[in-house]
Amino acid sequence: MKNKGVLIVISGFAGSGKGTITKELIKRYDNYRVSVSATTRKPRPMEENGKDYFFVSREEFERMIRENELLEYTEYVGNYYGTPKKYVEKMLNEGKDVILEIEYIGAFNAKKAFNEAVLIFVTPPSVNEVYLRLKGRNTESEEVILKRIKRGQEEAAIIDKYDYVIVNDDIETAIEDIHNTIKCSKFSSVRNGEFVAKLKNEFDEFLKNY
């Protein structure tokens, strides 16, 4: 029987490289899977239902909320986004390690639903580096960059609620650091509660009959 997989939540500041890290983990290691989110927004060109997102109606999404079918969800710019529980549970039960790349509100909701979830926050080495990376994209105005920096200030206030913080100063090192962190998390006492309880019972029984 396969061991249950690990639910990994990766969050980080804009420009932290979390998207690149997630893609590289999937590419390099066979056991990782990215959770597919459900959304009420319309598909963009080249997006596939069930691969990029599960595209659903607003009515269907609200039914999923009512019937507790979502691990976490949020509403952003008039559309819902959320993580279907069934998909995540299926992958975990197959022994796959499932990555959710989501913001902190969703991360904490995921932790409530799955106590064993591993929360990882990815950050550049400094705020100035955050700014330089956003500036270097050449895709956003100075006003949008400032909004992202202000959002980063909010995120910085809750980093200590994550299980691990990975500094992405070098992308190759960060990828390996996260992979090794996930491997080590499989030995946590939280994930091995059943085995620990079994040992306690065995000691009790042994001493009772000694």
Side-chain angles (χ1 to χ4, degrees):
M1 182 179 172
K2 285 186 177 179
N3 291 327
K4 193 173 180 182
V6 179
L7 179 63
I8 307 122
V9 176
I10 297 181
S11 306
F13 301 124
S16 64
K18 58 186 181 295
T20 301
I21 289 169
T22 298
K23 284 174 186 170
E24 286 300 316
L25 287 171
I26 296 295
K27 189 192 297 182
R28 298 180 190 192
Y29 304 101
D30 183 57
N31 209 51
Y32 292 121
R33 297 291 182 274
V34 175
S35 174
V36 179
S37 297
T39 183
T40 57
R41 76 161 173 77
K42 300 297 180 189
R44 292 173 184 150
M46 307 303 289
E47 286 184 331
E48 294 179 37
N49 187 46
K51 182 181 177 184
D52 298 289
Y53 284 96
F54 295 114
F55 294 101
V56 300
S57 67
R58 193 171 186 86
E59 291 73 24
E60 173 64 7
F61 199 103
E62 289 175 347
R63 182 199 64 76
M64 294 169 77
I65 295 172
R66 287 194 304 274
E67 298 186 14
N68 198 30
E69 293 182 8
L70 296 167
L71 184 60
E72 56 81 29
Y73 72 92
T74 188
E75 189 172 9
Y76 179 71
V77 195
N79 285 303
Y80 282 122
Y81 296 82
T83 304
K85 274 186 190 176
K86 189 181 291 186
Y87 179 87
V88 171
E89 287 171 346
K90 179 177 181 292
M91 291 294 105
L92 292 176
N93 289 333
E94 289 176 4
K96 302 303 181 185
D97 299 325
V98 181
I99 300 174
L100 303 184
E101 189 191 319
I102 51 179
E103 294 190 357
Y104 68 89
I105 294 172
F108 299 149
N109 286 335
K111 188 75 167 180
K112 282 179 191 173
F114 283 84
N115 186 45
E116 298 173 1
V118 177
L119 306 190
I120 299 174
F121 197 93
V122 182
T123 174
S126 68
V127 176
N128 190 56
E129 182 65 19
V130 173
Y131 173 77
L132 291 174
R133 290 185 188 183
L134 292 174
K135 189 79 172 171
R137 288 176 176 176
N138 292 318
T139 57
E140 294 161 338
S141 67
E142 200 70 23
E143 182 184 1
V144 171
I145 290 173
L146 181 59
K147 283 181 182 176
R148 291 191 180 277
I149 296 289
K150 286 180 177 176
R151 175 67 173 177
Q153 185 180 37
E154 291 175 27
E155 292 167 333
I158 50 78
I159 291 178
D160 59 355
K161 291 180 169 54
Y162 279 72
D163 299 310
Y164 301 98
V165 177
I166 302 293
V167 177
N168 178 15
D169 197 7
D170 172 77
I171 192 70
E172 289 297 323
T173 303
I175 291 164
E176 287 306 304
D177 284 347
I178 289 181
H179 176 60
N180 290 331
T181 297
I182 294 164
K183 283 204 300 185
C184 289
S185 76
K186 296 188 178 191
F187 301 101
S188 71
S189 56
V190 172
R191 283 189 59 80
N192 292 281
E194 243 180 72
F195 177 70
V196 172
K198 173 179 166 290
L199 281 179
K200 287 178 182 176
N201 288 334
E202 285 178 1
F203 272 108
D204 290 345
E205 287 301 314
F206 183 91
L207 292 173
K208 192 189 297 181
N209 300 313
Y210 187 72

